[in-house]
């Protein structure tokens, strides 16, 4: 391999990691906007619909522009591929999002982010179970360390704020599981359709489902009663908590793969914790600090060992 090729490969990797880090940071603002919307009396379904109402026009404009400017892309969209992209989008952007929103109704924003942060471990396990990846047993101690940190915070919450804790934790874990599986499937879709086209199709499909669900559950009249503050929160959630990070994260997946992208998410919980404390006024005790430190340390070790193993394998 020439030095030019090596330099190019390194540049691509750096760009991929930068995209993944940026996407993780912006996605971490999502819980804050959702909690603020809940405080305004917005339901779970309406909060998710508000997010998608603001994001959907952006995705549709980009999708129309892509298909008009690049006729060759239309040839890629066979019925099977289109349905596949729609189905994967529903899994990652509708089902996973709904479980996450529902979990946030029961648990704090910072705890939700830490629980959701375990999805890289599920990416690893699903890769081994369903996609032919090899199991790296050296990653197990790092995984146990992170779950030990979650257990510390869970035990503290159970003694102080037990109401809804188990339900909320299970809902957010369900979100992490579905998002991890989505990452593997999305990688395969993007190899065929490209990052932008896949993201627009998947997100648009999820948006239609979320909006339709809210219209059935909440009724169209609900939106007429929303204050200006609620609409602004929906706009922030749609653009900064959805559109921008979805393209950034999928760009990272396309460049460096699902496992590497998931392992770069360690910056996310820190962003959420800082915002949750200063914006939402959530508590951050010595127990939270200990649990968070264990979760982040485990994730850092996981990412380091995983990257080193993949480098050696090459």
């Amino acid at each position: 391999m020439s030095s030019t090729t090596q330099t190019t490969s390194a540049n691509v990797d750096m760009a991929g990691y930068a995209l993944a880090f940026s996407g993780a940071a912006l996605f971490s603002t999502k819980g804050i906007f959702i909690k603020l919307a809940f405080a305004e009396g917005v339901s779970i379904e309406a909060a998710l619909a508000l997010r998608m109402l603001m994001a959907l026009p952006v995705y549709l404009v980009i999708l129309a522009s892509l298909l008009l400017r690049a006729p060759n892309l239309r040839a890629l969209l066979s019925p099977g591929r289109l349905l596949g992209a729609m189905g994967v989008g529903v899994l990652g952007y509708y089902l996973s999002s709904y479980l996450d929103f529902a979990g946030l109704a029961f648990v704090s924003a910072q705890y939700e982010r830490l629980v959701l942060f375990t999805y890289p471990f599920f990416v690893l396990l699903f890769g081994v179970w369903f996609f032919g990846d090899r199991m790296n047993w050296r990653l197990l101690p790092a995984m146990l360390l992170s779950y030990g940190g979650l257990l510390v915070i869970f035990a503290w919450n159970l003694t102080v704020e037990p109401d809804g804790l188990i339900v909320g934790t299970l809902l957010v874990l369900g979100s992490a599981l579905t998002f991890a599986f989505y990452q593997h499937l999305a990688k395969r879709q993007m190899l065929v359709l490209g990052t932008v086209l896949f993201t627009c199709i998947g997100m648009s499909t999820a948006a239609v489902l979320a909006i339709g669900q809210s219209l059935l559950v909440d009724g169209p009249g609900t939106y007429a009663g929303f204050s200006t503050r609620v609409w602004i929160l929906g706009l922030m959630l749609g653009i900064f908590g959805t559109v921008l990070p979805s393209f950034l994260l999928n760009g990272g997946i396309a460049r460096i793969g699902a496992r590497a992208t998931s392992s770069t998410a360690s910056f996310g919980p820190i962003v959420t914790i800082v915002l949750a404390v200063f914006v939402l006024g959530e508590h951050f005790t010595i127990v939270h600090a200990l649990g968070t430190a264990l979760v982040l340390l485990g994730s850092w070790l996981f990412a380091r060992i995983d990257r080193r193993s993949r480098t050696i394998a090459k």
Side-chain angles (χ1 to χ4, degrees):
M1 181 182 288
S2 67
S3 60
T4 303
T5 303
Q6 289 176 337
T7 301
T8 302
S9 177
N11 289 337
V12 170
D13 286 344
M14 287 299 292
Y17 279 105
L19 289 170
F21 271 115
S22 300
L26 284 177
F27 261 135
S28 296
T29 65
K30 173 173 58 70
I32 307 302
F33 294 130
I34 295 168
K35 281 290 193 181
L36 291 172
F38 285 168
E40 296 291 321
V42 179
S43 70
I44 296 168
E45 292 77 13
L48 183 56
L50 271 175
R51 177 196 194 193
M52 295 305 192
L53 273 170
M54 299 302 175
L56 180 58
V58 179
Y59 290 114
L60 291 179
V61 168
I62 296 174
L63 179 60
S65 176
L66 272 177
L67 296 178
L68 288 173
R69 292 183 182 180
N72 59 305
L73 290 179
R74 294 199 294 270
L76 291 175
L77 288 177
S78 64
R81 286 174 179 165
L82 178 60
L83 289 173
M86 293 170 69
V88 175
V90 168
L91 176 67
Y93 296 123
Y94 170 71
L95 180 58
S96 181
S97 293
Y98 184 76
L99 291 172
D100 187 33
F101 276 52
L104 273 165
F106 296 96
V107 299
S108 68
Q110 51 188 308
Y111 179 69
E112 172 265 350
R113 179 53 46 179
L114 289 173
V115 175
L116 196 62
F117 189 51
T118 61
Y119 83 89
F121 308 149
F122 298 129
V123 171
L124 168 67
L125 295 176
F126 289 160
V128 173
W129 293 340
F130 303 112
F131 298 100
D133 293 347
R134 294 181 63 183
M135 181 61 183
N136 186 350
W137 293 104
R138 287 181 295 175
L139 294 170
L140 187 60
M143 295 167 63
L144 293 176
L145 189 62
S146 281
Y147 279 110
L150 280 179
L151 188 60
V152 168
I153 301 177
F154 179 84
W156 183 88
N157 285 336
L158 200 59
T159 60
V160 178
E161 301 174 285
D163 292 344
L165 179 63
I166 294 177
V167 173
T169 301
L170 291 175
L171 286 168
V172 179
L173 272 176
S175 178
L177 283 163
T178 50
F179 190 70
F181 201 64
Y182 154 81
Q183 287 217 329
H184 282 289
L185 297 177
K187 171 68 174 178
R188 285 151 180 80
Q189 290 287 332
M190 285 185 281
L191 288 174
V192 177
L193 299 178
T195 303
V196 178
L197 181 58
F198 164 74
T199 302
C200 288
I201 293 172
M203 264 296 193
S204 297
T205 307
V208 171
L209 282 177
I211 294 167
Q213 179 189 26
S214 179
L215 290 175
L216 288 173
V217 173
D218 300 305
T222 301
Y223 297 89
F226 285 157
S227 65
T228 303
R229 175 179 169 81
V230 169
W231 286 107
I232 292 174
L233 287 172
L235 179 64
M236 299 293 285
L237 181 58
I239 301 302
F240 294 104
T242 305
V243 175
L244 290 178
S246 70
F247 283 117
L248 290 169
L249 187 64
N250 282 342
I253 295 172
R255 284 177 177 268
I256 60 177
R259 282 175 66 174
T261 299
S262 65
S263 69
T264 63
S266 57
F267 189 54
I270 298 174
V271 173
T272 302
I273 289 168
V274 172
L275 292 175
V277 171
F278 288 100
V279 177
L280 301 178
E282 291 184 0
H283 298 295
F284 189 73
T285 66
I286 187 65
V287 176
H288 291 89
L290 175 60
T292 300
L294 289 173
V295 172
L296 295 181
L297 177 59
S299 177
W300 177 77
L301 288 172
F302 180 92
R304 183 182 181 189
I305 296 169
D306 189 43
R307 280 197 299 268
R308 184 175 296 175
S309 298
R310 286 186 286 108
T311 300
I312 294 173
K314 291 179 181 178

